[in-house]
Amino acid sequence: MLRMYKTLFCFLILINLTCLLSAQTKNKYAILDASADKINEKLIGWRRDFHEHPELGNHETRTAEIIAKHLRSLGMDVKTGIAVTGVVGILQGGGPGPVIALRADMDGLPVIERTPVAFASKVKTIYNGQEVGTMHACGHDSHMAILMAVAEVLSANKSQWKGTVKFIFQPAEEGVPADETGGAERMVKEGVLENPKVEVIFGLHINSQTEVGKITYRPGGTMAAVNDVKIIIKGRSAHGAYPWSSVDPIVVSAEIINNLQTIVSRNLNITQNPAVVSICSIQGGNRSNIIPEKVELWGTLRSFSSSDEKMLAERVRQIATLTAESAGATAEVTTPYSIHYPVTYNDPKLVARMLPSLERTAGDTNVVLKPPVTGGEDFSFYQQKVPGMFFFLGGMPKGGDPITAPSHHTPDFFIDESGFVLGVKAFCHLVVDYPTAGK
């Protein structure tokens, strides 16, 4: 009988300890969430300031100064000038643990803004030798503001989490001119994942066609590998009235463009992976009655596996050169020309391990598996070195239509700011949970 009472007593103690630990864990989330809610107005202010003052890749000097000043005010060890304008802050938690990296991108795009908001960008600058408008037309302003808020929340609540967080503010995600280097690839080469050595990395991207309050994700190949392609077709010039005297590079270009469309429809197993071959620019000739000597084509190739990536490049080269040769012209193909991003690959084990954190943060029904995205992300360069998870945060106003909502990289791109605080909470919960999740 005494043994039975002792067993029951131990059992009751175990239950009480379990309940206590569960309550303490829940309390951590409540504390962090309350801190995030408290600074939401400040977060939106940062975002609006960045939005009104966008800077193109490798030129984010004002942006970097604001970020570095904020991180230093939180007592962090801060390094600047990484990969030209990158900023990294290191924050120690309330005890020993893994080094977790969180990343935000910083650059705007050469787009003239057309949104009616009071903080719309009026900035103009020079890009590829031309004066262009400049706009945060992809949401990087929100990414920076969210990560600055995460830094403030975690620094104010160090006792609630363990380990080290490395805050990576990365320039030039959208790419740089062909004569420059930048972005995640350069940051990795300059050692951003070392000293201290990063164990895992998380990133998010706002999405203008996903409703506020929702998070979407995908294990495995999530965003496409990206290669840009430049094709120079050379023929023989002639008067437009005497085309038989020419080797017309414009006609050859049209044939090449049409033939390239057979790659996806005839060379790719579309039941396994999608792919895209798009020619987006044609430049040649300057008068209505002169057949030019040369035409340049510019385009992009997107795929979700290394084998498909290789096949696309080989087929583009083969089709362009042989089509040109059949007409007596020549085609010079360069791919990648200035941009190459690997597949953004979410480690499946890491996704399975951390998915409960996202579901608890946003609610089970608000975390949705999404199909592959043919857009690209240089977050993939970090994932080549350490396990990484990249997810998407809703930014479309509730009740909006994703079909008609302005897409990224357009003058009318719009984000509902009420969704930002969910991104802050999601990052914070991932930091708290990672050391013990799935163990």
Side-chain angles (χ1 to χ4, degrees):
M1 182 67 72
L2 181 60
R3 179 178 297 176
M4 183 181 73
Y5 282 127
K6 286 182 177 179
T7 302
L8 180 60
F9 180 71
C10 291
F11 180 68
L12 290 173
I13 290 176
L14 181 61
I15 289 176
N16 287 333
L17 285 173
T18 301
C19 292
L20 179 62
L21 288 173
S22 177
Q24 288 176 339
T25 301
K26 289 180 180 178
N27 190 45
K28 284 183 179 182
Y29 304 132
I31 291 171
L32 294 170
D33 288 353
S35 292
D37 289 332
K38 187 176 180 180
I39 66 168
N40 189 44
E41 187 175 338
K42 187 188 293 187
L43 185 167
I44 291 172
W46 288 326
R47 182 263 171 159
R48 292 185 178 185
D49 180 68
F50 289 140
H51 191 89
E52 192 170 359
H53 303 94
E55 296 171 303
L56 298 182
N58 282 357
H59 296 274
E60 307 94 336
T61 53
R62 178 186 184 273
T63 303
E65 288 175 3
I66 292 170
I67 292 168
K69 182 179 179 181
H70 176 64
L71 299 184
R72 290 192 181 104
S73 75
L74 302 175
M76 288 194 205
D77 176 20
V78 178
K79 296 181 180 178
T80 60
I82 303 172
V84 186
T85 56
V87 180
V88 174
I90 298 174
L91 181 66
Q92 305 291 339
V99 179
I100 301 169
L102 305 177
R103 175 270 206 167
D105 36 16
M106 302 162 63
D107 51 328
L109 285 158
V111 173
I112 298 175
E113 183 158 9
R114 205 161 50 200
T115 61
V117 297
F119 51 92
S121 169
K122 297 178 177 61
V123 175
K124 292 189 177 181
T125 189
I126 302 299
Y127 181 74
N128 280 341
Q130 296 182 339
E131 185 180 66
V132 295
T134 309
M135 176 188 176
H136 272 297
C138 199
H140 297 185
D141 50 345
S142 60
H143 302 167
M144 291 183 286
I146 287 169
L147 196 54
M148 287 170 69
V150 172
E152 186 160 331
V153 170
L154 292 179
S155 66
N157 297 281
K158 292 182 182 180
S159 62
Q160 306 302 323
W161 58 279
K162 298 183 184 299
T164 301
V165 176
K166 183 177 282 191
F167 295 89
I168 298 175
F169 290 85
Q170 175 211 306
E173 188 279 328
E174 299 290 357
V176 293
D179 59 345
E180 297 182 31
T181 61
E185 183 176 22
R186 181 164 173 174
M187 292 201 87
V188 170
K189 288 179 179 178
E190 293 188 12
V192 75
L193 298 178
E194 306 296 331
N195 302 315
K197 188 174 180 61
V198 170
E199 181 175 311
V200 68
I201 187 167
F202 297 105
L204 65 73
H205 205 298
I206 200 80
N207 187 268
S208 68
Q209 294 163 307
T210 299
E211 193 173 68
V212 161
K214 295 187 181 297
I215 289 174
T216 61
Y217 74 97
R218 184 175 186 81
T222 300
M223 299 186 75
V226 179
N227 287 289
D228 61 350
V229 57
K230 179 180 179 181
I231 304 172
I232 301 176
I233 299 103
K234 292 182 179 179
R236 185 169 63 247
S237 180
H239 194 296
Y242 314 111
W244 50 84
S245 299
S246 74
V247 175
D248 191 340
I250 290 180
V251 172
V252 174
S253 297
E255 292 175 350
I256 289 174
I257 292 169
N258 282 334
N259 292 342
L260 290 179
Q261 302 314 303
T262 64
I263 298 175
V264 173
S265 65
R266 293 296 178 269
N267 300 135
L268 186 79
N269 184 343
I270 59 173
T271 66
Q272 295 179 353
N273 283 317
V276 171
V277 177
S278 290
I279 298 299
C280 302
S281 174
I282 307 173
Q283 300 176 22
N286 56 18
R287 273 187 66 95
S288 62
N289 62 349
I290 299 176
I291 295 172
E293 183 178 55
K294 180 177 76 171
V295 172
E296 291 187 6
L297 307 179
W298 298 70
T300 187
L301 313 179
R302 309 289 171 117
S303 56
F304 287 87
S305 71
S306 57
S307 59
D308 285 346
E309 184 178 8
K310 181 180 179 182
M311 182 274 291
L312 292 184
E314 289 177 348
R315 287 294 289 143
V316 167
R317 190 179 308 279
Q318 185 179 44
I319 288 172
T321 55
L322 294 182
T323 300
E325 184 180 331
S326 70
T330 62
E332 176 187 316
V333 180
T334 306
T335 184
Y337 177 70
S338 63
I339 297 175
H340 169 248
Y341 294 170
V343 174
T344 305
Y345 185 84
N346 282 338
D347 183 278
K349 292 181 179 179
L350 179 63
V351 173
R353 178 177 168 183
M354 304 312 302
L355 187 57
S357 295
L358 297 182
E359 290 175 338
R360 182 188 58 252
T361 308
D364 292 2
T365 59
N366 290 321
V367 179
V368 183
L369 178 68
K370 74 178 292 136
V373 178
T374 50
E377 243 292 346
D378 71 354
F379 188 82
S380 53
F381 286 105
Y382 304 116
Q383 292 174 311
Q384 288 189 322
K385 300 297 182 181
V386 298
M389 179 177 173
F390 194 76
F391 59 97
F392 300 86
L393 180 69
M396 182 180 69
K398 285 188 178 296
D401 182 353
I403 295 176
T404 59
S407 68
H408 294 240
H409 291 218
T410 65
D412 301 306
F413 174 78
F414 177 81
I415 290 296
D416 186 333
E417 296 171 331
S418 67
F420 296 170
V421 71
L422 176 60
V424 177
K425 294 175 182 179
F427 267 151
C428 289
H429 287 213
L430 290 170
V431 169
V432 169
D433 290 344
Y434 175 76
T436 57
K439 294 184 179 179

Short mmCIF file of all heavy atoms in Angstrom, two decimals, residues 10-49:
data_model
loop_
_atom_site.label_atom_id
_atom_site.label_comp_id
_atom_site.label_asym_id
_atom_site.label_seq_id
_atom_site.Cartn_x
_atom_site.Cartn_y
_atom_site.Cartn_z
N CYS A 10 4.61 10.36 -6.70
CA CYS A 10 5.59 10.70 -7.76
C CYS A 10 4.88 11.07 -9.06
O CYS A 10 5.29 11.97 -9.78
CB CYS A 10 6.54 9.52 -7.99
SG CYS A 10 7.66 9.22 -6.62
N PHE A 11 3.79 10.32 -9.32
CA PHE A 11 3.03 10.59 -10.54
C PHE A 11 2.42 11.99 -10.51
O PHE A 11 2.45 12.73 -11.50
CB PHE A 11 1.94 9.53 -10.70
CG PHE A 11 1.09 9.71 -11.92
CD1 PHE A 11 1.61 9.53 -13.20
CD2 PHE A 11 -0.26 10.07 -11.80
CE1 PHE A 11 0.83 9.70 -14.32
CE2 PHE A 11 -1.04 10.26 -12.92
CZ PHE A 11 -0.50 10.06 -14.18
N LEU A 12 1.88 12.36 -9.34
CA LEU A 12 1.28 13.68 -9.19
C LEU A 12 2.33 14.78 -9.32
O LEU A 12 2.08 15.84 -9.93
CB LEU A 12 0.56 13.79 -7.84
CG LEU A 12 -0.71 12.95 -7.71
CD1 LEU A 12 -1.23 12.99 -6.28
CD2 LEU A 12 -1.78 13.42 -8.68
N ILE A 13 3.52 14.55 -8.76
CA ILE A 13 4.61 15.52 -8.89
C ILE A 13 4.99 15.70 -10.35
O ILE A 13 5.19 16.81 -10.84
CB ILE A 13 5.82 15.08 -8.05
CG1 ILE A 13 5.50 15.23 -6.56
CG2 ILE A 13 7.05 15.91 -8.42
CD1 ILE A 13 6.62 14.73 -5.66
N LEU A 14 5.07 14.57 -11.07
CA LEU A 14 5.43 14.62 -12.49
C LEU A 14 4.40 15.41 -13.29
O LEU A 14 4.75 16.22 -14.15
CB LEU A 14 5.55 13.19 -13.04
CG LEU A 14 5.95 13.06 -14.52
CD1 LEU A 14 7.33 13.68 -14.74
CD2 LEU A 14 5.96 11.60 -14.94
N ILE A 15 3.13 15.18 -12.98
CA ILE A 15 2.07 15.92 -13.68
C ILE A 15 2.19 17.42 -13.39
O ILE A 15 2.10 18.25 -14.29
CB ILE A 15 0.68 15.41 -13.24
CG1 ILE A 15 0.44 14.02 -13.82
CG2 ILE A 15 -0.41 16.37 -13.72
CD1 ILE A 15 -0.87 13.39 -13.38
N ASN A 16 2.43 17.74 -12.11
CA ASN A 16 2.55 19.16 -11.74
C ASN A 16 3.73 19.82 -12.43
O ASN A 16 3.64 20.96 -12.89
CB ASN A 16 2.70 19.29 -10.22
CG ASN A 16 1.39 19.03 -9.50
OD1 ASN A 16 0.32 19.23 -10.06
ND2 ASN A 16 1.46 18.57 -8.26
N LEU A 17 4.87 19.08 -12.49
CA LEU A 17 6.05 19.64 -13.16
C LEU A 17 5.78 19.84 -14.65
O LEU A 17 6.18 20.85 -15.23
CB LEU A 17 7.25 18.71 -12.96
CG LEU A 17 7.90 18.72 -11.58
CD1 LEU A 17 8.96 17.64 -11.48
CD2 LEU A 17 8.51 20.09 -11.29
N THR A 18 5.11 18.86 -15.25
CA THR A 18 4.78 18.96 -16.67
C THR A 18 3.87 20.17 -16.94
O THR A 18 4.09 20.94 -17.87
CB THR A 18 4.08 17.68 -17.16
OG1 THR A 18 4.93 16.57 -16.93
CG2 THR A 18 3.75 17.77 -18.65
N CYS A 19 2.87 20.32 -16.08
CA CYS A 19 1.97 21.47 -16.23
C CYS A 19 2.69 22.78 -16.02
O CYS A 19 2.45 23.76 -16.73
CB CYS A 19 0.81 21.35 -15.24
SG CYS A 19 -0.31 19.99 -15.60
N LEU A 20 3.62 22.79 -15.05
CA LEU A 20 4.39 24.01 -14.77
C LEU A 20 5.26 24.39 -15.96
O LEU A 20 5.30 25.55 -16.38
CB LEU A 20 5.25 23.81 -13.52
CG LEU A 20 6.12 25.00 -13.11
CD1 LEU A 20 5.24 26.21 -12.78
CD2 LEU A 20 7.00 24.64 -11.92
N LEU A 21 5.96 23.38 -16.52
CA LEU A 21 6.82 23.64 -17.67
C LEU A 21 5.99 24.11 -18.87
O LEU A 21 6.39 25.00 -19.61
CB LEU A 21 7.61 22.38 -18.03
CG LEU A 21 8.73 21.99 -17.06
CD1 LEU A 21 9.30 20.63 -17.43
CD2 LEU A 21 9.82 23.05 -17.03
N SER A 22 4.82 23.48 -19.06
CA SER A 22 3.94 23.87 -20.16
C SER A 22 3.47 25.32 -19.99
O SER A 22 3.45 26.10 -20.94
CB SER A 22 2.74 22.93 -20.22
OG SER A 22 1.85 23.33 -21.24
N ALA A 23 3.12 25.67 -18.75
CA ALA A 23 2.68 27.04 -18.47
C ALA A 23 3.80 28.03 -18.70
O ALA A 23 3.59 29.12 -19.25
CB ALA A 23 2.16 27.13 -17.04
N GLN A 24 5.02 27.65 -18.29
CA GLN A 24 6.16 28.55 -18.48
C GLN A 24 6.44 28.76 -19.96
O GLN A 24 6.75 29.87 -20.40
CB GLN A 24 7.40 27.98 -17.78
CG GLN A 24 7.33 28.06 -16.27
CD GLN A 24 8.53 27.39 -15.61
OE1 GLN A 24 9.21 26.55 -16.22
NE2 GLN A 24 8.79 27.75 -14.37
N THR A 25 6.33 27.65 -20.75
CA THR A 25 6.56 27.76 -22.19
C THR A 25 5.51 28.65 -22.84
O THR A 25 5.83 29.53 -23.64
CB THR A 25 6.53 26.36 -22.84
OG1 THR A 25 7.53 25.54 -22.24
CG2 THR A 25 6.80 26.45 -24.33
N LYS A 26 4.24 28.44 -22.47
CA LYS A 26 3.17 29.29 -23.02
C LYS A 26 3.39 30.74 -22.63
O LYS A 26 3.13 31.65 -23.41
CB LYS A 26 1.82 28.79 -22.53
CG LYS A 26 1.38 27.46 -23.14
CD LYS A 26 0.03 27.03 -22.61
CE LYS A 26 -0.40 25.70 -23.23
NZ LYS A 26 -1.70 25.24 -22.69
N ASN A 27 3.89 30.94 -21.42
CA ASN A 27 4.13 32.29 -20.95
C ASN A 27 5.22 32.98 -21.78
O ASN A 27 5.14 34.18 -22.02
CB ASN A 27 4.53 32.26 -19.48
CG ASN A 27 4.56 33.65 -18.86
OD1 ASN A 27 3.65 34.43 -19.08
ND2 ASN A 27 5.60 33.94 -18.11
N LYS A 28 6.22 32.21 -22.23
CA LYS A 28 7.26 32.78 -23.09
C LYS A 28 6.65 33.37 -24.35
O LYS A 28 6.96 34.49 -24.75
CB LYS A 28 8.27 31.70 -23.49
CG LYS A 28 9.26 31.28 -22.43
CD LYS A 28 10.23 30.28 -23.00
CE LYS A 28 11.26 29.86 -21.95
NZ LYS A 28 12.24 28.91 -22.50
N TYR A 29 5.78 32.60 -24.98
CA TYR A 29 5.15 33.08 -26.21
C TYR A 29 4.31 34.31 -25.94
O TYR A 29 4.30 35.27 -26.73
CB TYR A 29 4.30 31.98 -26.84
CG TYR A 29 5.05 30.70 -27.12
CD1 TYR A 29 4.52 29.47 -26.75
CD2 TYR A 29 6.27 30.72 -27.77
CE1 TYR A 29 5.20 28.28 -27.01
CE2 TYR A 29 6.97 29.54 -28.04
CZ TYR A 29 6.42 28.33 -27.65
OH TYR A 29 7.10 27.17 -27.90
N ALA A 30 3.58 34.30 -24.84
CA ALA A 30 2.72 35.43 -24.49
C ALA A 30 3.54 36.69 -24.27
O ALA A 30 3.16 37.79 -24.70
CB ALA A 30 1.89 35.11 -23.25
N ILE A 31 4.68 36.54 -23.60
CA ILE A 31 5.56 37.68 -23.33
C ILE A 31 6.10 38.25 -24.64
O ILE A 31 6.09 39.47 -24.87
CB ILE A 31 6.71 37.27 -22.39
CG1 ILE A 31 6.15 36.99 -20.98
CG2 ILE A 31 7.79 38.35 -22.34
CD1 ILE A 31 7.17 36.37 -20.05
N LEU A 32 6.59 37.37 -25.51
CA LEU A 32 7.15 37.81 -26.79
C LEU A 32 6.08 38.44 -27.67
O LEU A 32 6.30 39.48 -28.31
CB LEU A 32 7.82 36.64 -27.50
CG LEU A 32 9.06 36.06 -26.83
CD1 LEU A 32 9.48 34.78 -27.49
CD2 LEU A 32 10.20 37.06 -26.86
N ASP A 33 4.90 37.82 -27.72
CA ASP A 33 3.81 38.35 -28.54
C ASP A 33 3.38 39.73 -28.05
O ASP A 33 3.10 40.63 -28.86
CB ASP A 33 2.63 37.39 -28.53
CG ASP A 33 2.90 36.12 -29.33
OD1 ASP A 33 3.95 36.05 -29.98
OD2 ASP A 33 2.05 35.21 -29.29
N ALA A 34 3.31 39.89 -26.73
CA ALA A 34 2.92 41.19 -26.18
C ALA A 34 3.95 42.26 -26.53
O ALA A 34 3.60 43.41 -26.84
CB ALA A 34 2.75 41.09 -24.66
N SER A 35 5.23 41.89 -26.49
CA SER A 35 6.29 42.84 -26.86
C SER A 35 6.18 43.22 -28.33
O SER A 35 6.39 44.38 -28.70
CB SER A 35 7.67 42.23 -26.59
OG SER A 35 7.89 42.07 -25.21
N ALA A 36 5.85 42.23 -29.18
CA ALA A 36 5.69 42.51 -30.61
C ALA A 36 4.53 43.47 -30.85
O ALA A 36 4.64 44.42 -31.63
CB ALA A 36 5.49 41.21 -31.37
N ASP A 37 3.42 43.21 -30.18
CA ASP A 37 2.25 44.09 -30.33
C ASP A 37 2.57 45.52 -29.88
O ASP A 37 2.12 46.50 -30.49
CB ASP A 37 1.08 43.55 -29.52
CG ASP A 37 0.47 42.28 -30.10
OD1 ASP A 37 0.55 42.10 -31.33
OD2 ASP A 37 -0.05 41.46 -29.32
N LYS A 38 3.37 45.62 -28.84
CA LYS A 38 3.69 46.92 -28.24
C LYS A 38 4.47 47.82 -29.19
O LYS A 38 4.31 49.04 -29.19
CB LYS A 38 4.47 46.71 -26.95
CG LYS A 38 4.70 47.97 -26.14
CD LYS A 38 5.40 47.65 -24.83
CE LYS A 38 5.64 48.92 -24.00
NZ LYS A 38 6.32 48.60 -22.70
N ILE A 39 5.34 47.22 -30.02
CA ILE A 39 6.18 48.05 -30.90
C ILE A 39 5.68 48.05 -32.34
O ILE A 39 6.40 48.48 -33.25
CB ILE A 39 7.65 47.62 -30.86
CG1 ILE A 39 7.84 46.21 -31.45
CG2 ILE A 39 8.21 47.69 -29.45
CD1 ILE A 39 9.30 45.88 -31.70
N ASN A 40 4.44 47.60 -32.57
CA ASN A 40 3.92 47.52 -33.93
C ASN A 40 3.90 48.88 -34.61
O ASN A 40 4.21 49.00 -35.80
CB ASN A 40 2.51 46.92 -33.91
CG ASN A 40 2.00 46.61 -35.31
OD1 ASN A 40 2.73 46.08 -36.13
ND2 ASN A 40 0.76 46.96 -35.57
N GLU A 41 3.55 49.93 -33.87
CA GLU A 41 3.51 51.27 -34.46
C GLU A 41 4.90 51.71 -34.90
O GLU A 41 5.07 52.32 -35.97
CB GLU A 41 2.93 52.26 -33.44
CG GLU A 41 2.69 53.65 -34.01
CD GLU A 41 2.00 54.59 -33.04
OE1 GLU A 41 1.35 54.08 -32.10
OE2 GLU A 41 2.13 55.81 -33.20
N LYS A 42 5.91 51.38 -34.08
CA LYS A 42 7.28 51.71 -34.44
C LYS A 42 7.71 50.94 -35.70
O LYS A 42 8.37 51.49 -36.59
CB LYS A 42 8.21 51.37 -33.27
CG LYS A 42 9.64 51.83 -33.45
CD LYS A 42 10.56 51.32 -32.36
CE LYS A 42 10.22 51.92 -31.01
NZ LYS A 42 11.22 51.53 -29.98
N LEU A 43 7.32 49.69 -35.76
CA LEU A 43 7.62 48.84 -36.92
C LEU A 43 7.09 49.47 -38.20
O LEU A 43 7.80 49.57 -39.21
CB LEU A 43 6.99 47.46 -36.68
CG LEU A 43 7.21 46.30 -37.66
CD1 LEU A 43 6.74 45.00 -37.00
CD2 LEU A 43 6.47 46.46 -38.95
N ILE A 44 5.84 49.90 -38.17
CA ILE A 44 5.22 50.51 -39.35
C ILE A 44 5.92 51.81 -39.72
O ILE A 44 6.10 52.13 -40.90
CB ILE A 44 3.71 50.73 -39.10
CG1 ILE A 44 3.00 49.36 -39.04
CG2 ILE A 44 3.10 51.60 -40.18
CD1 ILE A 44 1.56 49.43 -38.61
N GLY A 45 6.36 52.55 -38.71
CA GLY A 45 7.11 53.78 -38.99
C GLY A 45 8.41 53.51 -39.72
O GLY A 45 8.78 54.23 -40.65
N TRP A 46 9.13 52.47 -39.27
CA TRP A 46 10.37 52.10 -39.97
C TRP A 46 10.06 51.73 -41.42
O TRP A 46 10.76 52.17 -42.34
CB TRP A 46 11.02 50.90 -39.29
CG TRP A 46 11.65 51.19 -37.97
CD1 TRP A 46 12.28 52.34 -37.58
CD2 TRP A 46 11.71 50.30 -36.85
NE1 TRP A 46 12.73 52.22 -36.30
CE2 TRP A 46 12.41 50.99 -35.82
CE3 TRP A 46 11.27 49.00 -36.61
CZ2 TRP A 46 12.67 50.40 -34.58
CZ3 TRP A 46 11.51 48.41 -35.37
CH2 TRP A 46 12.20 49.12 -34.37
N ARG A 47 9.03 50.93 -41.61
CA ARG A 47 8.70 50.48 -42.95
C ARG A 47 8.39 51.66 -43.87
O ARG A 47 8.83 51.72 -45.02
CB ARG A 47 7.52 49.51 -42.89
CG ARG A 47 7.14 48.95 -44.27
CD ARG A 47 6.00 49.68 -44.93
NE ARG A 47 5.83 49.23 -46.31
CZ ARG A 47 4.73 49.37 -46.99
NH1 ARG A 47 3.67 49.95 -46.45
NH2 ARG A 47 4.67 48.97 -48.25
N ARG A 48 7.60 52.60 -43.38
CA ARG A 48 7.22 53.74 -44.21
C ARG A 48 8.42 54.62 -44.56
O ARG A 48 8.51 55.14 -45.67
CB ARG A 48 6.14 54.56 -43.50
CG ARG A 48 4.83 53.82 -43.38
CD ARG A 48 3.72 54.66 -42.78
NE ARG A 48 2.47 53.92 -42.73
CZ ARG A 48 1.30 54.42 -42.35
NH1 ARG A 48 1.22 55.70 -41.99
NH2 ARG A 48 0.22 53.68 -42.33
N ASP A 49 9.34 54.75 -43.63
CA ASP A 49 10.54 55.52 -43.89
C ASP A 49 11.38 54.84 -44.99
O ASP A 49 11.83 55.50 -45.93
CB ASP A 49 11.36 55.69 -42.62
CG ASP A 49 12.63 56.48 -42.85
OD1 ASP A 49 12.54 57.69 -43.13
OD2 ASP A 49 13.73 55.89 -42.80
#
